[in-house]
Amino acid sequence: MSALTQQVLRTDLAGMPLEWIDYRDAARLHVLGQVAYSCGDPLFLLRGGINAGTRRQSQLRIHSIIATHGLHHALEQRRADYSPPLSNRTLFQRDDHMCLYCGQRFPGRQLSRDHVRPISQGGADVWSNVVTACVRCNNYKAGRTPEDAGMELLAVPFTPTHAEYVYLMGRHVLADQMEFLRAHFPRSSPLLRRLVEGGRA
């Protein structure tokens, strides 16, 4: 069985990825009868009390992926204009912790969010206008566009779909969870291409 920090992927009935939850939330959903089905590998075997009549101990097996009943925001996340929340953590994950100006990878503390079109020039703080930049490159670029600063942008910024965003939010994504999430990535996904080329998908 896995360490108790391993996340469980929660989906709706149709299999649309929703969020990551911990084993406690997964167990609560099981007990409340909200789990429609489980798939993926078994992660946890939780043991409960002993039944006085049968003298058998209750057990609950938690799998890596659970589909749940109920209303979710999945329909909203399928809209063409859906945009997931932007944070530095998910931005750095999207860009694989690589500075999109110098091409080097850095730990998170040495990275920053750069606005391709600076806010001072009317640029917005949205996925399609931000890239990961090392502190040195961001300071050099300052309030200029890449063209004005004589810097080449190594990749085009993109807005992740909800399934891609769920992947970016994950910690220690297991192979079966990755395979499940990949099925929901667009065929043209730059993230999917990078994962395939890097041998992680």
Side-chain angles (χ1 to χ4, degrees), residues 100-101 114-118 121 129 131 137 140-155 157:
L100 292 191
Y101 294 110
D114 175 65
H115 297 85
V116 179
R117 182 178 179 196
Q121 296 185 29
N129 188 50
V131 295
C137 285
Y140 177 78
K141 178 177 173 286
R144 301 175 290 177
T145 64
E147 296 80 17
D148 291 342
M151 302 171 78
E152 182 180 352
L153 194 57
L154 301 178

Side-chain angles (χ1 to χ4, degrees), residues 62-74:
I62 307 289
H63 289 251
S64 61
I65 305 165
I66 60 170
T68 54
H69 297 286
L71 297 174
H72 306 291
H73 301 292

